[in-house]
Amino acid sequence: MAKQALFSYSIILLVFLFQGITTLAQPATAPAPPAIAPAKPPSPAATPPVQPAKGLAPAPVQSSLVPVQKGPTDIVKILTKAHGYSVFVRLLKNTGVAAQLFDQLNNSNNAFTIFAPTDAAFSSLKPGTINSLSDLQKTQLIQFHILNNLVSLSNFQTLSNPVPTEAGDTSAGEFPLNVTTAGNQVNISTGLVNTTLGGTIYLDNQLAIYQVDKVLLPLDIFVPKPKVAAAPAPTLSNSNTTGTAADSPSGGTTAAAKVDASSAVRLSKYEMLLSIGVAVFAFFATKGT
């Protein structure tokens, strides 16, 4: 029994020794190198901003509040969608200007530019300013806010002052409207009101509508020109009172009286000489007898 146990222990010891020798004989495995992250591509060079040409302002970006309409162009609907222009819309309808514009925009190639005052602009007027106007003056007031051509924001600087409106002929000095630009800013002057063009309400190839924060009051309505008084009839000077009978009836009567008096004097002298002659003849006739 002792021999058998000793033999078993020897076998187990040999197995452990063999495994140890096998492990030591194997080459050592080097640790895996760390993973290398892929190189990032170089960042592109920054592009310098493009500067506008010297002396030229960058063109303004023109975006409209109300999109282009499908179907007939209706100014009343456009301003109603824009909100805040109810007074201007009411005047457009009451004066008949809205109907005229609707007809021309949809039945011709005519184009228009409209300056639309806000409700706040009308509220800032003195009470009774609009109600005190006659129907004709209300129509002229609305027409004064309308140009008979299409003007985009970039084209206001090309206008010549005074700018003609639908209210009257500027060549005769009626309803002058002046437009000036400073960069992207458009200034409007009537002689009574100065304001700046606001945002674009609507724009297509036939109609442009812009917001203005003041009502454009024309001089011809709110400061009318004084009427020229009729020239007085010319009066005759003293040197003209001695004219002939053809020049004045009263002068003719005076001249006739002078003629009659002169004739009477000559006649009395003739009668006196005749009487003297008769007396002398009678004297000598008496002497002879």
Side-chain angles (χ1 to χ4, degrees):
M1 288 291 293
K3 289 183 180 180
Q4 290 179 351
L6 181 60
F7 180 75
S8 298
Y9 286 132
S10 299
I11 294 298
I12 293 171
L13 182 60
L14 289 173
V15 171
F16 278 113
L17 289 174
F18 179 77
Q19 288 178 349
I21 293 170
T22 304
T23 301
L24 292 173
Q26 291 178 354
T29 304
I36 301 174
K40 294 182 179 180
S43 300
T47 303
V50 178
Q51 298 294 333
K54 192 173 182 179
L56 296 178
V61 178
Q62 187 165 0
S63 58
S64 56
L65 179 63
V66 178
V68 176
Q69 286 190 315
K70 294 181 180 179
T73 303
D74 191 335
I75 293 175
V76 171
K77 289 183 178 179
I78 293 172
L79 292 175
T80 302
K81 288 182 180 179
H83 301 290
Y85 302 91
S86 59
V87 178
F88 189 60
V89 168
R90 184 172 69 250
L91 289 171
L92 279 168
K93 294 166 66 176
N94 292 345
T95 58
V97 175
Q100 295 174 3
L101 291 173
F102 182 88
D103 180 66
Q104 295 191 47
L105 286 171
N106 296 288
N107 297 308
S108 71
N109 295 324
N110 296 340
F112 299 94
T113 299
I114 300 176
F115 304 120
T118 61
D119 289 341
F122 281 98
S123 298
S124 65
L125 296 175
K126 293 180 180 180
T129 299
I130 302 300
N131 292 334
S132 64
L133 301 178
S134 65
D135 291 341
L136 174 60
Q137 289 174 328
K138 289 178 183 178
T139 301
Q140 291 173 330
L141 175 64
I142 296 303
Q143 291 174 333
F144 191 61
H145 290 73
I146 304 173
L147 309 184
N148 56 2
N149 58 344
L150 181 68
V151 184
S152 63
L153 281 178
S154 58
N155 288 336
F156 274 101
Q157 59 186 349
T158 65
L159 298 179
S160 298
N161 290 316
V163 178
T165 68
E166 290 290 301
D169 184 8
T170 57
S171 62
E174 298 178 351
F175 299 94
L177 182 70
N178 294 313
V179 177
T180 58
T181 59
N184 295 336
Q185 180 173 303
V186 180
N187 304 312
I188 304 174
S189 176
T190 71
L192 288 176
V193 174
N194 297 315
T195 189
T196 303
L197 200 69
T200 303
I201 300 172
Y202 183 84
L203 179 67
D204 61 19
N205 60 354
Q206 204 176 1
L207 176 65
I209 306 178
Y210 300 100
Q211 173 189 319
V212 287
D213 295 328
K214 292 184 180 180
V215 181
L216 305 180
L217 304 178
L219 284 169
D220 290 71
I221 294 178
F222 294 93
V223 184
K225 298 176 182 178
K227 295 182 179 180
V228 180
T235 57
L236 296 176
S237 62
N238 293 334
S239 60
N240 291 332
T241 58
T242 59
T244 62
D247 295 331
S248 170
S250 60
T253 303
T254 304
K258 290 181 179 179
V259 170
D260 292 340
S262 177
S263 300
V265 170
R266 288 196 298 269
L267 182 60
S268 61
K269 289 181 178 180
Y270 174 77
E271 291 176 346
M272 185 183 298
L273 292 175
L274 181 61
S275 299
I276 294 172
V278 171
V280 171
F281 178 77
F283 174 76
F284 283 111
T286 305
K287 280 283 192 176
T289 60

